[in-house]
Amino acid sequence: MVAHGAISQRDRLFNAIRAAGLALLAVAGTAVLAIPGTVPPAVAPTATALYMGGTGHPLTVPEETPAYIGGYVDWAYNNFVGPSGLCTGGDPGCAQIAVFTPADFWPVTGLDAMPFDESVELGRANLDKCLHGLACTVTPAPFATTGSQAFTDTSYTVFSYSQSGTIASIEKSYLIAHPPTGTVSFVFESNPNRPNGGVLERFVGVQIPIIGVTFNGATVTNSPQPTPLTTVDVVHQYDPVADFPTNPLNLLADINALLGFNYEHPEEGTGTAVLQGQYQDSTYYIVPTTILPILRPLTVLPFLGPLLAATMDPVVRVLVETGYDRTINPGMPTPAKYLYFPNPIATTVNVLAAVPVGLDNGIAYLSGDPG
């Protein structure tokens, strides 16, 4: 009995110590959980790039091939989204998602196609669903299947090209009034609504009912802090969609820009972008042309054609540039200025200065030495 009583007392003491120890561990555990930054998030942070195509390219299967969509996304990411540094913070990386837009433009894409404005609004509605966590029509990598998917990401980067630039421009305005839960940034290539150069801003207020196009003005740049809709806008010089002449009455500049649609607007165009300026939440870049579009047809002629184009370019470029006012910030909304004419004395001086540059270009071409 004595021995049994001793054991019971010892057990009771052990249990008491054990209970006290567990209580201390529980308190300590609570203290650890209360330390900020020590608890991994329930869902890993995600960053997603949402890619929209240009006219005629809805980026859906089977309307497009997986190879085309993959190539388009690679081009957009490698040349614009990646270098922008905006699609970051994901775990892992930056997811690549192609977003459906009708991409119609009657009659360019067919007599049964919908008008431009209608196509843009349907595309914007689908993009907005993606950004607000609703089911939207997308083609995720590896771009083999198109379907409906909802996103709960923490960071989005929207890439747009040509017609989809208008979709992104309207959506950016909408997001200022209806903020999403995550952060959203925009990367534009060939934006029709570019504040200084976009054709839909140059002729703002004009409507062409027969093809359903409204020239609806410039992409906004005044998104509020502390979470601005950070924007990067890239244009190829003399692309008539996004670098239209300031003065449309300058016929030489107009012809050069219209030819620029073939040479400076096509998808998958590349080049080294140069910082053009900043304005509020937006940063602007331009990809300079080597040879003016109006002279590019000469380059198909053997030997003599490229020589003429290289020699003539500096002088003709000075004359083409009289149709542009490059002193205006690219983020400043700039409708057409029909009374804009540069100082004729300055233009004459620039033409004379361009002559030896053209001769030097010709010598460089003949010698094969750019220096």
Side-chain angles (χ1 to χ4, degrees):
M1 295 295 295
V2 175
H4 178 75
I7 293 174
S8 297
Q9 186 176 4
R10 185 181 62 190
D11 288 346
R12 284 196 297 271
L13 179 61
F14 174 78
N15 289 336
I17 295 173
R18 183 173 180 272
L22 290 174
L24 289 173
L25 287 174
V27 172
T30 303
V32 169
L33 291 176
I35 298 174
T38 61
V39 181
V43 178
T46 51
T48 294
L50 301 173
Y51 297 87
M52 296 182 292
T55 297
H57 292 291
L59 302 187
T60 54
V61 177
E63 290 78 11
E64 314 265 31
T65 66
Y68 171 80
I69 300 174
Y72 177 85
V73 169
D74 285 345
W75 164 72
Y77 182 81
N78 293 333
N79 291 279
F80 307 104
V81 176
S84 76
L86 293 175
C87 197
T88 59
D91 182 18
C94 178
Q96 312 294 308
I97 306 291
V99 177
F100 162 72
T101 66
D104 272 354
F105 192 166
W106 184 92
V108 176
T109 56
L111 297 179
D112 60 343
M114 65 182 70
F116 180 86
D117 288 350
E118 183 180 348
S119 174
V120 164
E121 180 49 36
L122 290 177
R124 190 207 68 81
N126 189 54
L127 173 65
D128 184 71
K129 290 178 181 177
C130 294
L131 294 175
H132 281 94
L134 302 176
C136 56
T137 304
V138 296
T139 309
F143 313 114
T145 305
T146 298
S148 183
Q149 184 174 342
F151 298 94
T152 57
D153 294 354
T154 56
S155 174
Y156 299 92
T157 298
V158 177
F159 174 82
S160 62
Y161 163 75
S162 197
Q163 179 180 143
S164 60
T166 299
I167 294 173
S169 294
I170 297 174
E171 179 64 11
K172 185 178 179 184
S173 296
Y174 184 81
L175 289 177
I176 292 176
H178 306 85
T181 54
T183 61
V184 178
S185 56
F186 290 87
V187 177
F188 291 90
E189 157 68 350
S190 189
N191 179 13
N193 299 86
R194 196 175 216 250
N196 181 12
V199 67
L200 296 184
E201 165 59 20
R202 283 287 191 252
F203 303 100
V204 59
V206 173
Q207 289 185 307
I208 308 179
I210 192 171
I211 57 175
V213 175
T214 300
F215 291 75
N216 60 339
T219 307
V220 296
T221 58
N222 62 338
S223 58
Q225 299 290 341
T227 55
L229 302 171
T230 304
T231 299
V232 170
D233 188 309
V234 184
V235 65
H236 281 62
Q237 191 178 21
Y238 306 124
D239 173 359
V241 172
D243 191 35
F244 198 85
T246 311
N247 183 359
L249 297 182
N250 188 312
L251 296 182
L252 182 65
D254 291 343
I255 294 171
N256 182 70
L258 291 175
L259 287 171
F261 190 85
N262 290 326
Y263 298 112
E264 301 300 334
H265 181 71
E267 296 174 14
E268 302 187 14
T270 59
T272 302
V274 176
L275 178 64
Q276 195 178 16
Q278 293 179 303
Y279 194 84
Q280 295 181 327
D281 64 20
S282 300
T283 303
Y284 297 89
Y285 294 86
I286 189 168
V287 179
T289 60
T290 303
I291 297 294
L292 288 165
I294 200 170
L295 297 175
R296 289 281 288 276
L298 287 175
T299 61
V300 302
L301 301 175
F303 183 72
L304 187 60
L307 174 63
L308 288 174
T311 304
M312 295 170 61
D313 182 89
V315 173
V316 179
R317 190 178 293 258
V318 169
L319 299 177
V320 166
E321 282 293 314
T322 61
Y324 293 84
D325 186 351
R326 302 291 188 187
T327 66
I328 302 174
N329 190 294
M332 177 69 70
T334 307
K337 298 169 65 176
Y338 296 99
L339 299 180
Y340 171 73
F341 298 99
N343 185 310
I345 296 177
T347 299
T348 301
V349 170
N350 290 337
V351 167
L352 294 175
V355 171
V357 177
L359 294 174
D360 184 69
N361 287 352
I363 294 170
Y365 174 77
L366 288 173
S367 66
D369 181 3

